Amino acid sequence: MESQCTSVVYGVDRIHKNEHSVQKLFALTSEKNALIVGPQCSPLRLLVRSNSRTFHRGERFVFWAWFFFILLLVCWLRWLALLLFAGLHIRRHRKPTLQNIAHTRADWPKISILIPAYNEQDVIAHTLDTFITPAYPQLEVFAIDDGSTDQTAHILREYGDTYPHIHPIIMPQNGGKSEALNAGIAQSTSDIVITMDADTLLDQHALFYIAEAFDDPSISAVACNIKLGNRHNALTLWQSIEYITSINIERRAQSLFHCITTLPGAASGYRRAALQDVGGFSSDTVTEDADITLCLLTKGHKLYYEERAIAWTEAPEKTYDLFKQRVRWITGCFQCLWKHRLAWYHTPMPAFRWFGFPNLLFLNTAILIFLPIFIYHIVTLCFAFSITGLLFVSTLFLPDLVCSVCGYHFDREDMGELRHFVTQRFFYMGFFGYIFLVIGARALAGSKTKWNKLPRSGTWMETSTSSSPPSS
């Protein structure tokens, strides 16, 4: 008994004889293994037991308070680092936007554009129309039909028969985006290859800025500045906020060290030699863009973010479509993390080891930690005012809001969109929490995540111009 108890509180009768003071008794009962003996109904015994429980609850409170504080501190430091690195990238690499950039030199390198398409009859013609009379002097376009069941292949053949620089590639069956891209790479003839989605429109000067970025021989790939063209409703506005305040800030910060962790599938440029070095695109995951990016980084290739190379793309306009897209994105990201789990060790790039890969890992696991805590405090605030809950929500949202304002300033976007910031963050917390639950349930059930082809409207492309934000 003595080895298990650090203190023994004697019977209440000895207290009444002043052999031990009540204060001494409370001090003794504060120890974890204190043993209380005496009459069960003694008021003093009940008081002592209450003090012991209060102390142990206090211990737990202190532990969780430190845990929350360290967690929030990590988030604050991450936000601060992203803003600092993004600002330094702008300071060092931001160049003026030139309307006459085509005339600044005569030796523009040849570029091959690859556009994989599967059942894209509603949008592919709009995309190809932007390349009918391209401003870029040396250009070849490969439009790859990946076994479509609609009129996509027919449309591609018509463009190929009419315009000599547009080359249709018809795959016999649907093999996936990676196989379609590899087929285009095999037939392309230039040293610079640009991959883009069938629902994406490039800014009229984007190709020049990408080519200019490749003037640095150490750069192996260039990420374009992706913007949403169909900002029609709250859901698409929320996604626009996400792109500007989260994705673009991260790419700027990572680009400072040439360790961008995801080159956008919507529009990115690559050196042919770099793609050949990693064996082309792989179908091991459902996110071929993240996979090829980590392959390049593992080999030590330097990546760059060109903010002037703007590409407009279409965002899901319905909640269920967004759900399918993000299930694929997050599942693919976990697949990439597992496939490249030793990349942080094998990469010759120190910045990717201590900044890029840890940030990617934190970004995809932080919500698992924050979501239950966030929901608990929100529910607490809804039913009863809580200083702790208010402090937690405030310390989580205020730095995020500062980052968001900086993101809109960096991208020179309309700050008025930030009026949707609070609703966007609340929706995304619950929405992504549900997605993680679905992914976990599917993983336990052993079901595989499919590509989940999203419907395209293409209506925004009909009224847009490549030199200005597409109108709604």
Side-chain angles (χ1 to χ4, degrees), residues 295-361:
C295 287
L296 291 169
L297 290 172
T298 303
K299 290 277 192 173
H301 291 279
K302 293 184 177 181
L303 315 181
Y304 181 73
Y305 174 70
E306 178 50 77
E307 63 175 13
R308 298 175 299 170
I310 297 175
W312 301 94
T313 192
E314 181 172 329
E317 298 182 357
K318 296 181 180 179
T319 305
Y320 183 62
D321 294 334
L322 179 62
F323 168 79
K324 291 191 297 182
Q325 182 195 65
R326 297 315 169 90
V327 165
R328 181 178 67 84
W329 284 11
I330 296 174
T331 301
C333 193
F334 279 119
Q335 291 173 342
C336 290
L337 285 172
W338 177 252
K339 178 181 177 180
H340 302 278
R341 58 191 179 278
L342 298 180
W344 65 272
Y345 178 76
H346 293 297
T347 179
M349 300 180 65
F352 178 60
R353 184 180 298 117
W354 61 259
F355 175 55
F357 193 85
N359 180 70
L360 182 66
L361 184 63

Side-chain angles (χ1 to χ4, degrees), residues 455-472:
R456 314 285 192 190
S457 65
T459 54
W460 64 277
M461 305 174 80
E462 299 173 358
T463 56
S464 65
T465 62
S466 59
S467 60
S468 61
S471 60
S472 58

Side-chain angles (χ1 to χ4, degrees), residues 363-424:
L363 187 65
N364 287 276
T365 57
I367 193 170
L368 297 175
I369 302 173
F370 275 105
L371 184 66
I373 304 171
F374 179 81
I375 292 178
Y376 168 77
H377 286 301
I378 291 299
V379 171
T380 302
L381 288 174
C382 290
F383 291 96
F385 180 76
S386 168
I387 293 294
T388 305
L390 183 62
L391 286 175
F392 179 82
V393 174
S394 300
T395 52
L396 189 62
F397 268 93
L398 290 180
D400 192 14
L401 179 59
V402 172
C403 281
S404 299
V405 172
C406 292
Y408 269 76
H409 174 68
F410 292 160
D411 264 29
R412 299 166 178 171
E413 288 279 349
D414 179 17
M415 292 281 184
E417 283 189 2
L418 285 177
R419 66 182 181 273
H420 301 280
F421 168 82
V422 174
T423 54
Q424 189 259 5

Side-chain angles (χ1 to χ4, degrees), residues 93 209 389 412 429:
H93 300 286
Y209 295 132
R412 299 166 178 171
M429 271 290 185

